């Protein structure tokens, strides 16, 4: 059974923020565990390196990579040393395991945040004149359509109630 390890919303890399900490992604859509560590409160005992040392987690990473459509040598977890994007990046499944390892409350917060981002509809940028114009035109068209439907219904009600026998 092949399951994609990269999150479905990585293509556009929507911003994920948990308790004020922005969770960065690398070019493959993997999430920065160090940012998650900060979002969790930053306790030393919850460092990604401590989490990744566990045999159970190493087995999870191996299984994810074995059962996934991984191409071009993309790993489920990768640590980058040096440079602007240094840190440990991991796929969503490892992020969930990491959050669960930290605490049930943090795990639920991460899952709910990721679900909200994955299911998020396009939110227009109201500072963009083109998007604002499109939004206002759409609203105006809907308003006109509803007004026309309302007029039709009002005339129908007047016709029914204006009859000799009235409404039964």
């Amino acid at each position: 059974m092949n399951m994609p390890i990269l999150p479905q919303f990585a293509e556009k890399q929507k911003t994920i923020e948990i308790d004020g900490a922005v969770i960065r992604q690398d070019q493959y859509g993997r999430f920065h565990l160090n940012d998650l560590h900060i979002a969790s409160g930053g306790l030393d005992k919850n460092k990604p390196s401590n989490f990744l040392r566990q045999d159970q987690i190493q087995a999870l990473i191996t299984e994810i990579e074995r059962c996934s459509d991984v191409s071009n040598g993309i790993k489920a977890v990768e640590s980058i040393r040096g440079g602007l994007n240094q840190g440990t990046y991991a796929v969503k499944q490892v992020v969930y395991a990491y959050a669960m390892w930290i605490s049930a409350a943090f795990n639920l917060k991460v899952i709910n945040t990721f679900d909200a981002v994955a299911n998020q509809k396009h939110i227009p940028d109201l500072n963009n004149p083109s998007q604002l114009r499109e939004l206002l035109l759409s609203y105006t068209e809907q308003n006109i359509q509803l007004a026309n439907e309302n007029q039709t219904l009002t005339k129908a009600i007047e016709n029914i109630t204006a009859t000799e026998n009235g409404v039964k």
Side-chain angles (χ1 to χ4, degrees):
M1 171 174 126
N2 288 339
M3 59 181 194
I5 64 169
L6 298 180
Q8 61 186 343
F9 49 90
E11 292 173 8
K12 295 184 181 179
Q13 294 194 350
K14 296 180 182 176
T15 301
I16 296 178
E17 188 174 320
I18 299 173
D19 287 343
V22 174
I23 312 305
R24 290 174 285 172
Q25 290 179 262
D26 67 5
Q27 68 270 28
Y28 303 112
R30 295 175 298 192
F31 300 93
H32 197 243
L33 290 183
N34 307 82
D35 290 341
L36 282 157
H37 177 240
I38 292 167
S40 75
L43 298 177
D44 281 346
K45 69 176 187 164
N46 294 336
K47 286 183 177 179
S49 57
N50 295 336
F51 166 73
L52 293 170
R53 283 191 194 111
Q54 301 176 77
D55 291 339
Q56 178 183 351
I57 299 309
Q58 288 302 311
L60 173 64
I61 292 167
T62 300
E63 187 65 15
I64 289 169
E65 290 177 347
R66 186 184 72 75
C67 296
S68 302
D69 295 326
V70 181
S71 61
N72 300 326
I74 300 170
K75 299 176 181 177
V77 175
E78 184 174 6
S79 292
I80 298 172
R81 309 238 185 271
L84 294 175
N85 296 318
Q86 68 181 337
T88 301
Y89 293 86
V91 296
K92 181 173 66 170
Q93 294 90 332
V94 175
V95 168
Y96 285 176
Y98 178 57
M100 188 182 322
W101 177 74
I102 291 175
S103 74
F106 186 65
N107 188 37
L108 186 59
K109 191 178 293 187
V110 167
I111 290 170
N112 289 340
T113 301
F114 274 53
D115 282 351
V117 170
N119 297 323
Q120 181 180 31
K121 293 183 178 179
H122 173 71
I123 299 173
D125 178 7
L126 299 181
N127 293 320
N128 180 332
S130 174
Q131 288 185 20
L132 184 58
R133 179 180 177 275
E134 187 177 314
L135 187 65
L136 289 171
L137 283 174
S138 174
Y139 173 76
T140 302
E141 288 169 356
Q142 289 175 3
N143 198 11
I144 290 169
Q145 182 182 357
L146 289 173
N148 289 338
E149 289 174 12
N150 193 20
Q151 270 186 330
T152 304
L153 291 173
T154 300
K155 287 179 183 175
I157 290 171
E158 287 173 358
N159 285 340
I160 292 171
T161 56
T163 61
E164 188 176 301
N165 297 327
V167 178
K168 295 183 181 179

